[in-house]
Amino acid sequence: MESQSNVSEFILLGLSSDQNVQTSCFVLFLLCYVALLVGNLLILISIWCSPLFHQPMYYFLSHLSSMDICYTSSVTPKLIGDLLVGRKTISYGNCMLQVFCMHFFGIIEVLILTVMAFDRYVAICRPLHYMIIINRMRCNLLVSAAWAGGAVHSFPQVSMIIQLPFCGPNEIDHYFCDIFPLLKVACTDTSIPGDIMLVSSGMVALVTFVVLFCSYVIILFTLRNHSAEGRRKALSTCGSHITVVVLFFAPSIFIYLRPPTTYPEDKVFALFYTIIAPMFNPLIYTLRNTEMKKAIRKVWFQASL
């Protein structure tokens, strides 16, 4: 790595240079991160320790919670720690590792959200064939494909970034290492890598969002033929999924689906898909899901006896 760059570390400019703002952000993001960890671990343990684990939807939900923890943990602890120090630095190697983890776990989460939409489509539109189509072997295959997709997406991107020379300045106007801010400080023409990143990240986010949107439109159209109780239950589940999709994809598309440039507002939008959406996922999936609430009460009530 170091043979490609004269820079041994990068300086992160963070969210703000105002000390009062940094103190407020420290308290806020620490609470958000604790809530995220507690909420997602609560879902994970409740699913693993209950019969829900054998249902495909909750099997996928447990993997989504795992990805939320891994994805956010690649950024948030560093952000929280940096809010307490004046000079925010990250080594070249850790910066490249952060880029890899962000895109690796991020794409896995995107693909698992897609798998969950497919699961709901089969459950609502093909209910009689649901257990045949979404069997455990296929569930494992879909999750494995999501992990493979994360690797296929992230390894080439990081390999391309590593090839770029960084000779100064080494200040990144962000609170974590990401592709576009790094392209901005590279000491070479980055138009081609920028276009490749736009296609591989921006188009993936857009296409996935369109696929998810169309699948839920089909699901909602199909619900017309269901009973009132069936519509209520299906809408509750799909409403949770749609909320998660919008919170995650809207800011991602705004940042990645455009020419490779950066704006000060990017840091605010990035908070939505790195901290806010993963934090709200447990609340969205538990508050609107009767089976999940029953499982949580049963598992944790028995554990307290």
Side-chain angles (χ1 to χ4, degrees):
M1 287 184 184
E2 292 181 359
S3 62
Q4 298 291 332
S5 174
N6 294 327
V7 172
S8 60
E9 67 177 16
F10 294 98
I11 299 173
L12 300 172
L13 299 183
L15 292 170
S16 173
S17 58
D18 189 301
Q19 188 59 46
N20 292 328
V21 173
Q22 292 193 57
T23 302
S24 300
C25 287
F26 170 79
V27 175
L28 175 62
F29 296 142
L30 179 61
L31 292 175
C32 289
Y33 186 57
V34 171
L36 182 149
L37 291 178
V38 171
N40 282 291
L41 286 173
L42 182 68
I43 286 181
L44 274 175
I45 297 172
S46 299
I47 292 176
W48 287 345
C49 299
S50 73
L52 292 181
F53 183 72
H54 301 289
Q55 297 184 31
M57 184 179 77
Y58 297 100
Y59 176 74
F60 295 136
L61 178 56
S62 68
H63 284 279
L64 180 66
S65 293
S66 300
M67 288 305 102
D68 278 340
I69 293 173
C70 295
Y71 178 67
T72 306
S73 295
S74 65
V75 171
T76 308
K78 171 67 175 169
L79 167 62
I80 294 172
D82 283 347
L83 290 169
L84 297 177
V85 299
R87 190 170 183 267
K88 306 165 180 57
T89 62
I90 183 170
S91 68
Y92 179 88
N94 286 338
C95 183
M96 298 301 114
L97 178 62
Q98 193 174 63
V99 172
F100 171 78
C101 290
M102 281 289 296
H103 286 265
F104 179 64
F105 293 121
I107 288 298
I108 293 175
E109 181 157 352
V110 164
L111 294 176
I112 288 178
L113 286 171
T114 307
V115 168
M116 293 175 72
F118 173 69
D119 170 75
R120 289 301 86 201
Y121 167 80
V122 175
I124 294 171
C125 301
R126 305 276 304 275
L128 298 179
H129 301 90
Y130 178 71
M131 295 309 298
I132 298 175
I133 298 174
I134 310 294
N135 54 45
R136 181 44 62 98
M137 181 180 296
R138 189 158 285 131
C139 288
N140 293 331
L141 182 62
L142 289 170
V143 171
S144 299
W147 279 80
V152 169
H153 170 81
S154 56
F155 275 109
Q157 296 213 30
V158 175
S159 298
M160 188 175 299
I161 290 294
I162 289 176
Q163 299 302 317
L164 297 176
F166 298 97
C167 52
N170 63 340
E171 290 185 342
I172 299 177
D173 188 15
H174 217 304
Y175 61 88
F176 66 92
C177 286
D178 201 5
I179 291 175
F180 286 171
L182 284 169
L183 291 179
K184 188 176 181 180
V185 299
C187 303
T188 187
D189 179 22
T190 59
S191 56
I192 294 178
D195 292 339
I196 294 174
M197 300 303 179
L198 185 147
V199 172
S200 61
S201 293
M203 291 305 298
V204 165
L206 179 62
V207 170
T208 306
F209 179 76
V210 171
V211 169
L212 291 172
F213 178 80
C214 292
S215 67
Y216 283 117
V217 168
I218 295 172
I219 289 172
L220 293 174
F221 183 80
T222 306
L223 286 176
R224 297 184 309 164
N225 303 321
H226 286 61
S227 64
E229 177 62 23
R231 285 198 301 269
R232 185 198 63 79
K233 185 176 180 180
L235 284 172
S236 177
T237 302
C238 291
S240 302
H241 293 191
I242 292 170
T243 305
V244 170
V245 166
V246 171
L247 282 174
F248 188 87
F249 279 96
S252 300
I253 292 173
F254 172 79
I255 289 179
Y256 291 109
L257 192 64
R258 69 182 190 213
T261 184
T262 59
Y263 300 105
E265 296 81 8
D266 289 353
K267 293 181 281 188
V268 177
F269 281 98
L271 291 172
F272 280 91
Y273 60 81
T274 57
I275 300 176
I276 296 175
M279 179 189 68
F280 278 114
N281 281 359
L283 293 175
I284 291 170
Y285 281 108
T286 55
L287 292 179
R288 304 189 63 181
N289 191 304
T290 304
E291 289 184 319
M292 193 71 243
K293 287 188 286 188
K294 288 180 180 178
I296 290 174
R297 284 195 295 267
K298 183 177 181 180
V299 169
W300 294 99
F301 177 73
Q302 290 179 345
S304 63
L305 294 177

